């Protein structure tokens, strides 16, 4: 049985019709050697998808036609990652794995011990790259929703976006309590620090905002390990991995 390829589009035609793929998706379609007439499944990252086919493959554009879009909402707990900026390419891996695991949103944050700092000149380009990584991870993991990657803000500012009814937890190597979800909650906001960890004063400030500190186990994890492991464990505590 031939696999039907999934392709991302910025917007589906409301009543069906013809859409042109963006540059990155068109390049992916060419890599897959898709040809006119090949069936595809298009998704717009908001929970809408539609069956269609390749209409044309040109040097500068790839066009598809599709039928009426159908909603495909994501179910299960809603888990948001607040990630303090790590250095180097680690953030790209964290975003990719967070999307594959099932994060609903990824909020970038600037913490006191973070080596990496926002660069206004390069910031927009980096955010665009992270968004492309999120799209590709959603496509690969067959998610119908592409989680937004929110540009960097100060740590407490990003954490303050968490609703009061969510389980708010900060994963910290200095914590003494294990990861334990409160009963009845279906949403969580998870804060993960940078390479040097969060300062005790930052953890105290987060505690005043309703965040509980928890550790992931007896060992100290690298930031690029702590984020996906923490997300997976939080989802598991909320019943998300078995949904």
């Amino acid at each position: 049985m031939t696999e039907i390829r999934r392709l991302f589009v910025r917007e589906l035609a409301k009543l069906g019709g013809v859409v042109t793929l963006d540059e990155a998706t068109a390049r992916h379609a060419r890599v897959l050697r898709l040809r006119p007439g090949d069936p595809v499944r298009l998704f717009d990252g908001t929970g809408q998808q539609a069956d269609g086919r390749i209409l044309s493959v040109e040097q500068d554009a790839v066009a598809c036609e599709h039928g009426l879009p159908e909603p495909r909402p994501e179910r299960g707990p809603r888990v948001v990652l607040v990630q303090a900026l790590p250095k180097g390419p680690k953030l790209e891996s964290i975003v990719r794995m967070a999307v594959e695991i099932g994060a609903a949103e990824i909020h970038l944050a600037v913490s006191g011990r973070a080596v990496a700092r926002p660069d206004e000149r390069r910031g927009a380009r980096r955010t665009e790259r992270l968004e492309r990584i999120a799209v590709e991870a959603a496509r690969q993991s067959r998610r119908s929703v592409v989680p937004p990657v929110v540009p960097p803000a100060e740590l407490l500012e990003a954490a303050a976006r968490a609703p009061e009814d969510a389980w708010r937890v900060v994963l910290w190597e200095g914590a003494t309590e294990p990861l334990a979800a409160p009963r009845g909650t279906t949403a969580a906001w998870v804060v993960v620090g940078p390479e040097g960890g969060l300062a005790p004063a930052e953890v105290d400030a987060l505690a005043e905002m309703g965040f509980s500190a928890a550790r992931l186990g007896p060992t100290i994890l690298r930031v690029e390990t702590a984020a996906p492991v923490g997300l997976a464990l939080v989802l598991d505590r909320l019943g998300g991995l078995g949904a």
Side-chain angles (χ1 to χ4, degrees):
M1 183 176 180
T2 303
E3 179 185 0
I4 297 179
R5 300 294 186 173
R6 299 179 75 243
L7 299 175
F8 172 76
V9 294
R10 295 292 175 185
E11 185 176 3
L12 290 166
K14 292 182 179 180
L15 299 178
V18 177
V19 294
T20 301
L21 304 183
D22 64 23
E23 182 179 349
T25 306
R27 183 166 55 250
H28 179 65
R30 293 190 188 94
V31 170
L32 294 174
R33 299 183 183 277
L34 294 177
R35 296 291 181 262
D38 287 347
V40 291
R41 184 160 293 125
L42 306 177
F43 73 106
D44 66 358
T46 70
Q48 297 282 329
Q49 69 175 25
D51 290 332
R53 68 184 182 92
I54 299 293
L55 195 61
S56 63
V57 180
E58 305 295 342
Q59 184 67 28
D60 57 348
V62 176
C64 301
E65 62 177 1
H66 67 84
L68 191 67
E70 298 179 354
R72 190 188 176 194
E74 291 190 334
R75 307 185 187 281
R78 179 178 176 81
V79 177
V80 175
L81 172 65
V82 178
Q83 176 63 60
L85 295 176
K87 63 182 180 180
K90 296 177 182 178
L91 186 57
E92 296 181 4
S93 296
I94 291 171
V95 167
R96 180 178 294 108
M97 288 186 284
V99 174
E100 291 177 1
I101 291 167
E105 298 175 12
I106 302 167
H107 293 244
L108 307 181
V110 181
S111 61
R113 293 179 177 175
V115 175
R117 295 286 164 176
D119 184 324
E120 292 184 5
R121 184 171 59 87
R122 300 178 180 177
R125 283 186 298 172
R126 191 180 194 193
T127 299
E128 288 177 1
R129 173 163 175 76
L130 293 174
E131 289 172 344
R132 291 197 299 271
I133 289 172
V135 167
E136 173 58 23
R139 185 202 62 77
Q140 185 276 329
S141 58
R142 299 189 179 182
R143 294 187 63 178
S144 59
V145 174
V146 177
V149 179
V150 182
E154 293 298 323
L155 175 63
L156 298 185
E157 178 184 340
R161 300 167 185 155
E164 292 186 2
D165 60 348
W167 173 27
R168 288 162 284 175
V169 60
V170 50
L171 303 179
W172 186 48
E173 67 277 6
T176 57
E177 297 296 323
L179 194 63
R183 291 185 178 182
T185 186
T186 59
W189 279 59
V190 183
V191 175
V192 177
E195 289 88 346
L198 296 172
E202 291 174 318
V203 177
D204 290 342
L206 288 167
E208 293 180 0
M209 298 170 62
F211 283 79
S212 58
R215 64 182 299 129
L216 295 176
T219 60
I220 304 300
L221 305 180
R222 294 177 181 270
V223 60
E224 63 269 35
T225 307
V229 168
L231 284 175
L233 289 176
V234 168
L235 275 164
D236 181 64
R237 299 293 193 274
L238 298 180
L241 296 186

